[in-house]
């Protein structure tokens, strides 16, 4: 594996989960592997967990992480080919990616979608430009259409908390006041499709994720029916995919409550809006795995960095 930009880069999810658990049990075992290696972390968007957990993962491998908030702190980057750069962008991605490659052994990039230009978002212009023009491996720290570090984290967390051979996992849409990306939902779907779980998605009409992602995973528009006998309820808001980037529904009847999920474990990638997406009684209960998920972000990132360091 040279780059890690999608859940599809995972060749065998069970062996990856096993290795992540070994890393978690002994996080400093490979402290020499990344010695004198530099991880450049470029953020076009905000972050708490991804930023800190990926830095921590790099430090656990003996790497030196360098972090830059690209939006605001760097020169405006031009991604268009053949553009006459007489507008707001001062540096082309061809130079920017090549230059960062002089300072870093691995480049990690976070770049959210526009949610207004579906074609541009689907093309993954920012992430794919780094892959194309950097001379070193590239990791997605969440792109327009995927959040593979989160998806791997979630697979590890489901595995750790499963008490059944084949648990029932439900991905439920929940309301939100802002139009949010599809990335977390997409990567969670792809991760669960690789695992031996009974997997169901529930969302209101008009909110189906891309058919290219969901494939033959069942999608129910009745949340109550979907939650029946669930062992895990993973919750996330996303804007409409078909009516791209639009908020079509803010129905609080989709908010996750203790009564609805019963004995199921609750999962969310965070940050989460309390009492909009999920009620306090769920987040403050023993059923909530959200802090455990955040902890596992370090070991997912460490596994990805380890594999890239070993293979390049
Ligand atoms: N879950 C997640 O990616 O969190 P941040 O946006 O804070 O990095």
């Amino acid at each position: 594996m040279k780059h890690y930009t999608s859940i599809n880069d995972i060749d065998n999810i069970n062996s990856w989960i096993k290795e992540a658990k070994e890393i978690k049990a002994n996080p400093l075992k490979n402290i020499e592997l990344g010695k004198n290696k530099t991880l450049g972390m470029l953020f076009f968007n905000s972050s708490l967990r991804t930023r800190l957990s990926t830095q921590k993962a790099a430090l656990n491998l003996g790497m030196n992480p360098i972090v830059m908030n690209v939006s605001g702190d760097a020169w405006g980057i031009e991604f268009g080919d053949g553009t006459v750069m007489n507008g707001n962008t001062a540096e082309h991605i061809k130079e920017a990616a090549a230059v960062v490659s002089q300072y870093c052994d691995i480049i990690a990039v976070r770049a959210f979608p526009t949610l207004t230009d579906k074609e541009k978002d689907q093309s993954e212009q920012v992430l794919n430009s780094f892959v194309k023009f950097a001379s070193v491996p590239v990791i997605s720290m969440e792109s327009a259409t995927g959040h593979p570090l989160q998806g791997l984290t979630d697979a590890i967390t489901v595995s750790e908390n499963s008490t059944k051979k084949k648990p029932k996992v439900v991905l439920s849409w929940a309301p939100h006041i802002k139009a949010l990306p599809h990335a977390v939902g997409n990567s969670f779907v792809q991760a669960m499709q690789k695992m031996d779980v009974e997997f169901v998605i529930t969302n209101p009409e008009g909110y189906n994720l891309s058919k290219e992602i969901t494939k033959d995973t069942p999608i129910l528009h009745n949340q109550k029916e979907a939650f029946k006998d669930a062992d895990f309820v993973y919750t996330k808001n996303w804007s409409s995919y078909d009516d791209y980037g639009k908020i079509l529904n803010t129905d609080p009847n989709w908010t996750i409550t203790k009564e609805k999920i019963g004995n199921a474990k609750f999962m969310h990638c965070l940050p989460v809006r309390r009492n909009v997406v999920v009620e306090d009684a769920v987040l403050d209960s023993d059923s909530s795995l959200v802090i455990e998920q955040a902890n596992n972000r370090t070991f997912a990132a460490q596994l990805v960095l380890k594999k890239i360091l070993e293979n390049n």
Side-chain angles (χ1 to χ4, degrees):
M1 182 182 75
K2 178 163 185 190
H3 307 289
Y4 183 71
T5 58
S6 160
I7 290 290
N8 293 330
D9 293 324
I10 300 174
D11 51 5
N12 180 330
I13 201 155
N14 292 326
S15 76
W16 279 51
I17 290 170
K18 183 171 175 283
E19 196 172 342
K21 288 176 181 173
E22 286 163 8
I23 290 169
K24 187 173 181 177
N26 191 358
L28 300 180
K29 186 178 170 194
N30 297 109
I31 190 87
E32 294 295 320
L33 183 66
K35 196 173 171 191
N36 299 327
K37 301 280 187 188
T38 301
L39 171 66
M41 300 171 59
L42 306 181
F43 286 90
F44 289 82
N45 305 96
S46 306
S47 169
L48 188 151
R49 281 142 290 274
T50 305
R51 181 169 171 156
L52 296 181
S53 64
T54 309
Q55 281 190 77
K56 173 88 174 166
L59 292 168
N60 283 350
L61 290 165
M63 298 185 79
N64 301 307
I66 307 176
V67 184
M68 185 166 199
N69 294 323
V70 180
S71 301
D73 287 357
W75 302 109
I77 298 178
E78 175 61 48
F79 289 89
D81 202 18
T83 310
V84 177
M85 288 171 57
N86 58 2
N88 291 329
T89 51
E91 172 150 38
H92 201 276
I93 183 63
K94 290 182 181 179
E95 284 79 47
V99 166
V100 178
S101 303
Q102 307 306 304
Y103 313 137
C104 302
D105 299 281
I106 301 174
I107 301 173
V109 180
R110 164 166 282 200
F112 289 172
T114 62
L115 291 182
T116 53
D117 187 336
K118 190 175 194 174
E119 199 177 329
K120 186 175 175 184
D121 292 345
Q122 292 301 116
S123 78
E124 292 284 13
Q125 185 185 52
V126 176
L127 182 65
N128 285 340
S129 295
F130 275 97
V131 169
K132 185 171 178 184
F133 297 118
S135 56
V136 299
V138 173
I139 295 173
S140 167
M141 295 192 295
E142 187 170 344
S143 67
T145 65
H147 195 351
L149 288 174
Q150 184 69 52
L152 175 57
T153 297
D154 299 332
I156 296 164
T157 310
V158 167
S159 171
E160 283 182 329
N161 288 278
S162 290
T163 54
K164 291 180 184 166
K165 192 168 178 321
K166 187 167 182 168
K168 179 174 177 182
V169 180
V170 183
L171 170 63
S172 178
W173 179 95
H176 202 282
I177 59 160
K178 292 193 168 181
L180 296 188
H182 311 97
V184 170
N186 286 347
S187 289
F188 186 71
V189 171
Q190 291 176 313
M192 289 306 106
Q193 287 169 342
K194 284 178 175 283
M195 292 181 72
D196 189 19
V197 297
E198 181 191 343
F199 182 48
V200 174
I201 304 169
T202 181
N203 53 254
E205 301 269 2
Y207 275 94
N208 285 8
L209 292 166
S210 164
K211 185 71 187 156
E212 283 184 29
I213 298 288
T214 58
K215 297 193 170 89
D216 56 2
T217 297
I219 300 172
L220 303 181
H221 298 307
N222 183 329
Q223 193 187 47
K224 188 176 177 185
E225 189 186 336
F227 283 176
K228 192 169 180 303
D229 299 326
D231 297 296
F232 296 88
V233 171
Y234 192 105
T235 301
K236 185 72 185 82
N237 170 272
W238 56 86
S239 54
S240 175
Y241 179 75
D242 288 338
D243 197 353
Y244 194 65
K246 296 285 189 314
I247 298 176
L248 310 178
N249 189 328
T250 53
D251 184 355
N253 286 318
W254 279 83
T255 298
I256 306 299
T257 66
K258 193 90 190 88
E259 188 188 349
K260 280 187 197 175
I261 69 167
N263 294 324
K265 298 285 188 189
F266 175 77
M267 298 178 70
H268 190 284
C269 62
L270 301 181
V272 68
R273 289 183 183 249
R274 281 175 172 254
N275 303 310
V276 176
V277 171
V278 54
E279 67 174 10
D280 285 340
V282 176
L283 282 171
D284 296 334
S285 76
D286 291 340
S287 303
S288 174
L289 300 179
V290 298
I291 305 303
E292 200 172 325
Q293 280 175 267
N295 183 36
N296 282 340
R297 289 295 307 271
T298 299
F299 311 113
Q302 197 169 326
L303 174 61
V304 169
L305 289 170
K306 176 174 177 285
K307 283 182 177 288
I308 290 174
L309 287 169
E310 285 171 342
N311 291 334
N312 292 278

